[in-house]
């Protein structure tokens, strides 16, 4: 087996491109000799992999227009636009929601998740729009994190899915874990997955699509996208879990975090926040209604 394939099997947390980089930089030794990516390993050989010390990049504050739904001394709720990454990560160190929040909130963001994710207690995908809550202090962060853990937060999403759902409402209860082959994807994983529950309700039916509301009971990575695809109704525009061809120009899945309800960490009062559907989503619904 090639050394690059061997390493990708045993170092699942490292991307293939990063492993190739380590091979080029002679950070991979077989029997104490540097090898290239096409080297074929044999039983009994000793493989050594050296990982350079991780250095966190400096994250800079950036002035940007944020669609603020609510703000007080403990929390801030943002209506995130399509295409915005929530927090800095490889390939996205600027233009993220965190960059904008650092400029808006200055030093008032919780530090529990470190310098790369100040204030971030949960996230939504880059191409998913809608409500996200950010915590300004550690007390608020711990409170919201506990509510997420207990599944007591109200989270309703709106999506257009392929096909006609048989029932007007239903529940997908299937564990989600990392895809066994494609490490960038999630999948239904009975063996190594974590509990995942999504409740869905039909809002409107079209010829080839259905407009649905999905309420999360749990919050796994890509949960709604994986669950709806698993029952044969992937989200329209989903370039990872849906069909290769999309009949509309959407730039990603039609998924909107419309409602988020929490118990306020300071007052103890239940508060619910709503983000209106983005214009592209409203346009799509008008097109679908016009095709009936």
């Amino acid at each position: 087996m090639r050394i690059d394939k061997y390493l990708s099997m045993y170092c699942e947390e490292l991307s293939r491109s990063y492993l190739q980089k380590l091979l080029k930089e002679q950070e991979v030794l077989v029997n104490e000799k540097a090898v290239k990516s096409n080297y074929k390993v044999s039983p009994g050989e000793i493989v050594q992999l050296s990982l350079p010390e991780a250095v966190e990049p400096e994250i800079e504050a950036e002035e940007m227009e944020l669609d603020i739904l609510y703000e007080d001394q403990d929390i801030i709720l943002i209506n995130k636009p399509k295409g915005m990454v929530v927090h800095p990560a490889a390939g996205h160190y600027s233009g993220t929601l965190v960059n904008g929040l650092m400029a808006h909130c200055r030093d008032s963001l919780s530090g529990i998740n470190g310098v790369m994710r100040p204030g971030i207690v949960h996230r939504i995908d880059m191409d998913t729009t809608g409500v996200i809550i950010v915590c300004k202090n550690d007390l608020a962060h711990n409170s919201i994190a506990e509510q997420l853990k207990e599944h007591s937060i109200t989270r309703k999403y709106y999506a257009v899915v392929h096909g006609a759902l048989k029932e007007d409402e239903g529940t997908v209860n299937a564990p989600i874990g990392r895809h066994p082959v494609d490490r960038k994807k999630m999948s239904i994983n009975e063996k190594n997955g974590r509990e995942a529950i999504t409740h869905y309700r039909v809002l409107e039916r079209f010829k080839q699509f259905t407009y649905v509301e999905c309420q999360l009971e749990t919050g796994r990575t890509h949960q709604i996208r994986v669950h709806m695809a698993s029952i044969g109704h992937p989200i329209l525009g989903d370039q990872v879990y849906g069909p290769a061809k999309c009949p509309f120009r959407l730039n990603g899945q039609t998924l909107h975090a419309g409602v988020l309800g929490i118990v306020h960490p300071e007052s103890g009062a239940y508060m619910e926040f709503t983000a209106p559907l983005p214009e592209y989503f409203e346009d799509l619904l008008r097109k679908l209604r016009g095709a009936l």
Side-chain angles (χ1 to χ4, degrees), residues 113-187:
N113 268 338
V115 296
M116 298 286 279
R117 294 187 287 175
I120 303 301
V121 67
H122 77 119
R123 68 180 187 85
I124 53 181
D125 296 333
M126 180 175 72
D127 290 328
T128 298
T129 56
V131 192
I132 181 169
I133 184 170
V134 177
C135 299
K136 290 187 169 185
N137 53 64
D138 290 357
L139 184 146
H141 191 118
N142 286 328
S143 173
I144 301 301
E146 188 62 26
Q147 291 179 54
L148 284 163
K149 184 180 177 181
E150 294 175 349
H151 312 317
S152 60
I153 286 182
T154 301
R155 283 178 292 173
K156 294 180 181 178
Y157 286 69
Y158 300 95
V160 176
V161 300
H162 285 266
L165 288 154
K166 292 180 181 179
E167 309 293 335
D168 286 337
E169 56 184 51
T171 296
V172 183
N173 186 343
I176 291 176
R178 190 67 59 183
H179 194 284
V181 178
D182 189 342
R183 308 306 294 175
K184 292 182 180 179
K185 292 173 65 175
M186 307 301 287
S187 67

Side-chain angles (χ1 to χ4, degrees), residues 237-258:
D238 193 330
Q239 297 166 342
V240 177
Y241 302 102
K245 290 186 178 180
C246 178
F248 304 95
R249 295 183 67 179
L250 298 170
N251 297 319
Q253 67 273 0
T254 51
L255 186 60
H256 177 69

Side-chain angles (χ1 to χ4, degrees), residues 5-228:
K5 186 176 181 181
Y6 174 82
L7 289 172
S8 67
M9 287 176 60
Y10 287 94
C11 304
E12 295 179 348
E13 71 280 5
L14 303 178
S15 69
R16 289 193 178 187
S17 59
Y18 184 59
L19 288 170
Q20 293 283 1
K21 181 174 178 286
L22 292 176
L23 283 159
K24 284 182 181 178
E25 294 173 353
Q26 298 190 336
E27 299 288 355
V28 180
L29 306 180
V30 176
N31 296 335
E32 300 185 350
K33 291 184 180 180
V35 296
K36 295 182 179 180
S37 59
N38 62 355
Y39 179 86
K40 292 190 176 181
V41 291
S42 303
E45 290 185 313
I46 298 173
V47 179
Q48 293 172 277
L49 174 64
S50 299
L51 293 177
E53 187 176 344
V55 178
E56 288 187 328
E58 190 75 25
I59 305 303
E60 296 183 0
E62 296 177 32
E63 294 289 343
M64 62 178 69
E65 284 191 25
L66 298 174
D67 186 356
I68 300 171
L69 301 172
Y70 174 84
E71 181 179 12
D72 61 25
Q73 72 275 13
D74 297 299
I75 56 175
I76 179 170
L77 287 100
I78 307 291
N79 180 16
K80 189 189 82 66
K82 201 176 188 72
M84 176 182 275
V85 175
V86 169
H87 60 77
H92 297 281
Y93 291 116
S94 64
T96 74
L97 178 60
V98 160
N99 294 106
L101 285 166
M102 287 174 67
H104 177 81
C105 300
R106 306 302 174 185
D107 295 327
S108 298
L109 288 169
S110 71
I112 289 176
N113 268 338
V115 296
M116 298 286 279
R117 294 187 287 175
I120 303 301
V121 67
H122 77 119
R123 68 180 187 85
I124 53 181
D125 296 333
M126 180 175 72
D127 290 328
T128 298
T129 56
V131 192
I132 181 169
I133 184 170
V134 177
C135 299
K136 290 187 169 185
N137 53 64
D138 290 357
L139 184 146
H141 191 118
N142 286 328
S143 173
I144 301 301
E146 188 62 26
Q147 291 179 54
L148 284 163
K149 184 180 177 181
E150 294 175 349
H151 312 317
S152 60
I153 286 182
T154 301
R155 283 178 292 173
K156 294 180 181 178
Y157 286 69
Y158 300 95
V160 176
V161 300
H162 285 266
L165 288 154
K166 292 180 181 179
E167 309 293 335
D168 286 337
E169 56 184 51
T171 296
V172 183
N173 186 343
I176 291 176
R178 190 67 59 183
H179 194 284
V181 178
D182 189 342
R183 308 306 294 175
K184 292 182 180 179
K185 292 173 65 175
M186 307 301 287
S187 67
I188 302 300
N189 193 323
E190 300 289 347
K191 185 179 179 182
N192 300 313
R194 299 171 69 190
E195 180 188 37
I197 302 170
T198 304
H199 307 284
Y200 62 85
R201 180 170 67 92
V202 172
L203 299 176
E204 202 168 348
R205 295 180 180 276
F206 307 109
K207 284 182 180 179
Q208 295 175 296
F209 306 98
T210 309
Y211 179 34
V212 298
E213 175 190 271
C214 294
Q215 183 159 345
L216 291 178
E217 190 169 318
T218 57
R220 308 304 174 207
T221 302
H222 299 175
Q223 180 171 315
I224 294 173
R225 298 166 64 189
V226 172
H227 271 175
M228 296 312 292

